[in-house]
Amino acid sequence: MRTDFAMSHIPVYVYFIFIALLWVGMTRCFRRTIRIRRLLVMPLLFAALGFRGFFGLFPHPADRDILAVLLGLAVGLALGWHHARRWTIAIDRQAGQITVPGDVMMFAIILGSFAFEFALHYGIESRAAWVAAWPVQPLAAGVWAWFLGMTAGRNVNLALRYRDQQGLPVAEAP
């Protein structure tokens, strides 16, 4: 009988990261007012983490991985854009702020990316057979790009709407 438990090998900092991600994701479920520059934060964070995560686990990308990245990015951008296009937003140009509705999508993306990354790392550390299968590497590249695309698509939509709209004072927002 095995006495060690697979979860006992997880560093303690991973639990703190998970709790922080839960907090960030839950705050995105409620209406909030943010500075327009903050629309860059999550796409840049997902790009950095995806790039680091992919090349950390798979240091030698193949052509099919690049194709998977482009496909995942295109699908993610389209879905993220489509998701945010019907939102009612309020713009305060003097303060450089935008008020966005609460949305569970970012919470799902944050938890999904954490679960995805955790599963890949667990598979590699446990030497699971499925990690060596040929579709895992391009699938990982595509999924990381999809998460980035979803975040970037919705934030580009909001940034362009901020640029194009005259803006209502935040107090008049529905």
Side-chain angles (χ1 to χ4, degrees):
M1 177 180 213
R2 259 180 94 168
T3 58
D4 63 332
F5 183 58
M7 299 295 278
S8 66
H9 299 298
I10 298 171
V12 174
Y13 73 87
V14 172
Y15 295 107
F16 288 111
I17 291 171
F18 182 68
I19 291 168
L21 290 174
L22 282 176
W23 178 78
V24 169
M26 286 189 288
T27 61
R28 300 305 185 262
C29 293
F30 302 99
R31 181 184 179 102
R32 66 199 181 285
T33 300
I34 59 172
R35 292 193 181 277
I36 195 68
R37 293 185 304 257
R38 288 207 42 213
L39 292 176
L40 289 172
V41 171
M42 289 308 275
L44 290 175
L45 182 65
F46 273 94
L49 291 175
F51 189 79
R52 182 181 171 273
F54 181 79
F55 285 106
L57 296 176
F58 308 108
H60 305 291
D63 291 341
R64 67 177 184 250
D65 302 332
I66 304 303
L67 181 62
V69 165
L70 294 174
L71 182 63
L73 191 59
V75 169
L77 281 168
L79 289 174
W81 181 279
H82 179 73
H83 180 75
R85 73 184 170 104
R86 293 189 183 151
W87 286 357
T88 301
I89 61 173
I91 296 169
D92 183 350
R93 287 199 180 274
Q94 292 175 337
Q97 295 179 331
I98 184 170
T99 301
V100 295
D103 178 44
V104 74
M105 181 179 95
M106 186 53 74
F107 188 52
I109 289 171
I110 288 171
L111 289 181
S113 64
F114 184 85
F116 172 71
E117 184 94 21
F118 184 85
L120 275 177
H121 280 275
Y122 180 78
I124 289 171
E125 290 295 320
S126 66
R127 294 177 181 81
W130 60 267
V131 175
W134 75 266
V136 171
Q137 190 166 325
L139 180 64
V143 169
W144 269 309
W146 179 63
F147 285 139
L148 167 61
M150 292 270 292
T151 305
R154 93 188 243 287
N155 288 6
V156 167
N157 180 301
L158 294 172
L160 291 176
R161 288 169 62 189
Y162 175 85
R163 182 195 72 188
D164 295 341
Q165 287 186 359
Q166 299 242 312
L168 298 171
V170 174
E172 295 180 26

